Amino acid sequence: MYKASTKLMSMSEEVWWRHANPWSGWTRVATVPFLVVAFWSRDWLGIYFLIPVAVILLWAWLNPRVFPKPVSTDHWMSKGVFGEKIFTSRKKGKTEVPQRHVIAANLTTAISIIGVLILVYGLYALEVWPTLLGTALAVLGKMWFVDRMVWLYEDMCGIDEGYRPWVK
C-alpha cells in the first residue's frame, strides 16, 4: 500500500526534496477539510461537486512539486517527510528499518483507514457526526504516522550516518 501511494504520487528524488519544505507538508494536511467540504457539497452542487473535488485532488498531487526545496530542513514536518522517504523505500534501501517502526506505521495507517471508512460513510449519508469522527481519525492517524516517521528518521541517523546531512 505504501509503495502504491508513492508510485501514484510519482515521487522522484527532486519531488521528495521539495516536499520536505514544511509549507508543502502543512498545506497538504490542510487539504483534508477542503476535500471533505467538496464531497459534502454534492448536496448543493449536484454533479458539479466533482469540479472542486478534482481541483483539490490536483492540488494534492501538485503540492510537493510547487514548493521550492527548503532552505532549512530542521523542522518536524521535514523530518517526517524524510522518515517517510526512508520507510517507503525500505525494501530497496541499504539499511534495514527497525521492525518497531514498521509496526507503528501499520498501526497508525490502520487508524487512518478506519477514519477514512467512517468518513466515507458520513459523506455518503451526509451525516455530520460520522463525517467529523472519520475526519478526525484519518487526520490523527496521519499526524501520528508523520510523528513516527520523524522518530524513524532520527533512529536511522544513528544507524546510518548518510541520513544526517538531509537535515540542514
Side-chain angles (χ1 to χ4, degrees):
M1 182 178 67
Y2 302 110
K3 191 193 308 186
S5 68
T6 301
K7 192 172 190 173
L8 178 68
M9 289 300 298
S10 306
M11 298 290 280
S12 68
E13 195 68 26
E14 173 73 15
V15 173
W16 276 110
W17 276 101
R18 289 171 169 266
H19 191 37
N21 186 322
W23 282 99
S24 174
W26 286 116
T27 56
R28 195 112 179 259
V29 171
T31 62
V32 173
F34 289 106
L35 192 58
V36 169
V37 171
F39 273 104
W40 192 278
S41 74
R42 80 177 194 281
D43 194 39
W44 316 306
L45 301 177
I47 193 69
Y48 296 107
F49 85 98
L50 291 173
I51 295 169
V53 167
V55 168
I56 294 164
L57 291 175
L58 178 63
W59 166 249
W61 188 85
L62 284 173
N63 175 289
R65 292 159 177 79
V66 299
F67 289 94
K69 289 181 184 179
V71 174
S72 170
T73 54
D74 193 11
H75 303 279
W76 181 83
M77 184 58 81
S78 299
K79 291 177 185 178
V81 169
F82 293 149
E84 190 172 1
K85 180 179 179 357
I86 293 166
F87 184 77
T88 57
S89 63
R90 69 190 181 282
K91 301 271 195 246
K92 298 179 268 181
K94 57 185 176 188
T95 307
E96 189 67 31
V97 170
Q99 188 61 27
R100 67 182 176 277
H101 292 296
V102 175
I103 292 167
N106 290 340
L107 172 66
T108 57
T109 300
I111 292 168
S112 286
I113 290 170
I114 291 167
V116 167
L117 293 174
I118 295 168
L119 172 60
V120 167
Y121 167 76
L123 289 172
Y124 172 78
L126 292 177
E127 293 284 337
V128 172
W129 289 112
T131 301
L132 292 176
L133 175 63
T135 301
L137 284 174
V139 172
L140 173 71
K142 180 60 178 179
M143 292 291 85
W144 192 7
F145 175 84
V146 172
D147 189 60
R148 289 304 304 228
M149 294 299 103
V150 171
W151 188 352
L152 168 64
Y153 171 74
E154 290 173 348
D155 280 0
M156 293 304 286
C157 285
I159 294 170
D160 184 338
E161 292 286 323
Y163 295 120
R164 277 191 202 282
W166 292 4
V167 170
K168 51 186 168 140

